[in-house]
Amino acid sequence: MTSPIWHPFTQHGLREPIPLVERGEGAFLHTADGRCIVDGISSWWVTTHGHCHPRIMQAIRDQTEKLDQVIFAGWTHEPAETLALGLRAIMPDALTRVFFSDSGSTSVEVALKMALGFWMARGERRHRIVVMEHSYHGDTIGTMSVGERGVFNRAYEPLLFDVIRVPFPEAGREQATYDALEVACDGEAAAFIVEPLVLGAGGMKMYAPQVLAEMRTICARAGVLFIADEVMTGWGRTGSLLACEQAGVVPDILCLSKGLTGGAMPLAVTMASEPIFAAHYSTDRAAMFFHSSSYTANPVACAAAAANLAIWRDEPVRERVTALAAMQQARLEALGARCEIRGARTCGTIAAFECAGDDGYLADIAPRLMAFFREHDVLLRPLGNTVYVMPPYCIDAGTLDRVYDVIAEAIT
Ligand SMILES: *Cc1c(COP(=O)(O)O)cnc(C)c1O
């Protein structure tokens, strides 16, 4: 019988093969038909330390012996408490509160709701969200609303709420972004939400730390809340624990997921500054923060995340990130010398470029490249004609060479 599974972001009508993965280890995925695949995109940007990191796997096993799941409204448990304190210790001091959810999208939904709750409590009519062109914040109705509009959400457009959009800060044209943000920030603006330094799904578009710092300053001056969506950029991806760090920026609200558990379990947090928590703090039950999902702060996921924090504390993760960043830069430069690519760029462990052909997510070249990579045992998933490499931090030089050799072969 054919599989009844309806896969995400998959056109089943194209009948592309869907490999069955049995086992993961480090930078490799092993398929049921005996192939060993290099995971060049960290399984959609989540796997930071590598697949099945022994300490995370052990933490999961240990937790399953104790507590599987418990209601989190009005109850708590040790893995969540340990994790929240660990996050307080490693994340910026001003982010005093940790709210749990279970995916990047929900962490963003929570951030937006916190921002509106904040203004409501203050009795100010601020409800507009300011966003950046080409952003991606998730696939729920709220997160699509604050993300780029296009072929991904055309059918749902009638359900999406209005936002104020500022242009992406192209190098040399940053002033246009600042000017638009200044204008957007007066009046009804509640918050500005942004992906710091790298716009992931929008095409690995990168901008400089000083641009992030300037945008933060504009928001602070106008009293508009600054939401950093570090769902992809967090946990070392851009070379530092948070991308915001490189700009000396501390957001009012921070969204984290993907690498939060090292990529092993679905979990997210939205961290908020004290004034945002205080705006919801009262003896009036009508003023509480009205949000939860069934698996909020699942104990097994929290245990995995606590193990991830321990790995950040005890292992040379920052050194691995720095080493990978240098390797990525060198490989990309060498690739540029071997074949025709445009817009070669890196930010920390992320390397990206455009290859010849049409721009846009539905560019014909993407599925052809993806098939070529798959046939050559490399997992890469170009965004239109934008090819990017975002491996787990444990990948070794030889394996990364293999990835770039296959890329060179694909595009020549
Ligand atoms: C992946 C991503 C999300 C959504 O996370 P999910 O866990 O897929 O819901 C949100 N924001 C950014 C920047 C992302 O890269």
Side-chain angles (χ1 to χ4, degrees), residues 45 102-106 108 136-139 195 200-201 229-233 257-258:
W45 321 346
D102 40 31
S103 73
S105 301
T106 52
V108 171
Y136 176 81
H137 298 290
D139 284 330
E195 296 166 84
D229 176 356
E230 295 240 19
V231 168
M232 187 278 277
T233 53
S257 186
K258 293 195 169 126

Side-chain angles (χ1 to χ4, degrees), residues 18 29 64 85 113 145 149 154 157 258 279 306 312 358:
I18 298 184
L29 295 167
T64 59
L85 288 173
K113 287 174 71 172
S145 297
R149 308 292 165 94
R154 193 158 295 143
E157 184 97 43
K258 293 195 169 126
W312 273 88
D358 296 339

Side-chain angles (χ1 to χ4, degrees), residues 87-317:
L87 287 167
R88 277 286 281 127
I90 197 171
M91 293 297 161
D93 275 347
L95 299 172
T96 51
R97 300 290 166 168
V98 180
F99 190 93
F100 287 98
S101 61
D102 40 31
S103 73
S105 301
T106 52
S107 77
V108 171
E109 296 276 1
V110 163
L112 299 174
K113 287 174 71 172
M114 281 178 175
L116 264 76
F118 172 84
W119 291 115
M120 166 103 146
R122 295 233 167 165
E124 289 192 41
R125 265 191 61 79
R126 293 209 196 203
H127 56 265
R128 282 265 184 255
I129 306 295
V130 185
V131 309
M132 182 181 281
E133 181 193 19
H134 300 307
S135 294
Y136 176 81
H137 298 290
D139 284 330
T140 56
I141 299 296
T143 58
M144 281 193 295
S145 297
V146 294
E148 184 72 4
R149 308 292 165 94
V151 64
F152 331 94
N153 43 41
R154 193 158 295 143
Y156 330 116
E157 184 97 43
L159 298 182
L160 306 186
F161 57 77
D162 281 339
V163 295
I164 308 172
R165 222 168 285 278
V166 302
F168 176 80
E170 299 285 356
R173 279 186 276 149
E174 295 89 349
Q175 193 58 45
T177 302
Y178 304 151
D179 293 345
L181 189 56
E182 293 266 10
V183 173
C185 277
D186 70 29
E188 297 183 331
F192 175 50
I193 181 164
V194 71
E195 296 166 84
L197 304 190
V198 185
L199 275 56
M204 296 299 152
K205 296 173 84 69
M206 301 177 186
Y207 61 90
Q210 56 268 33
V211 178
L212 185 65
E214 181 61 28
M215 294 190 300
R216 207 301 170 234
T217 303
I218 293 168
C219 289
R221 213 159 42 217
V224 169
L225 297 175
F226 191 91
I227 303 172
D229 176 356
E230 295 240 19
V231 168
M232 187 278 277
T233 53
W235 304 106
R237 261 310 149 203
T238 68
S240 45
L241 177 66
L242 294 181
C244 279
E245 245 172 80
Q246 295 178 42
V249 159
V250 176
D252 298 299
I253 304 177
L254 171 67
C255 302
L256 295 171
S257 186
K258 293 195 169 126
L260 170 60
T261 58
M265 298 281 292
L267 186 70
V269 294
T270 308
M271 294 187 70
S273 65
E274 197 59 18
I276 292 167
F277 177 76
H280 296 83
Y281 187 85
S282 161
T283 52
D284 177 5
R285 289 170 62 241
M288 74 170 103
F289 186 50
F290 289 103
H291 192 93
S292 179
S293 49
S294 306
Y295 289 102
T296 291
N298 171 263
V300 183
C302 286
N308 169 50
L309 280 181
I311 290 167
W312 273 88
R313 279 193 299 267
D314 313 336
E315 294 186 19
V317 180

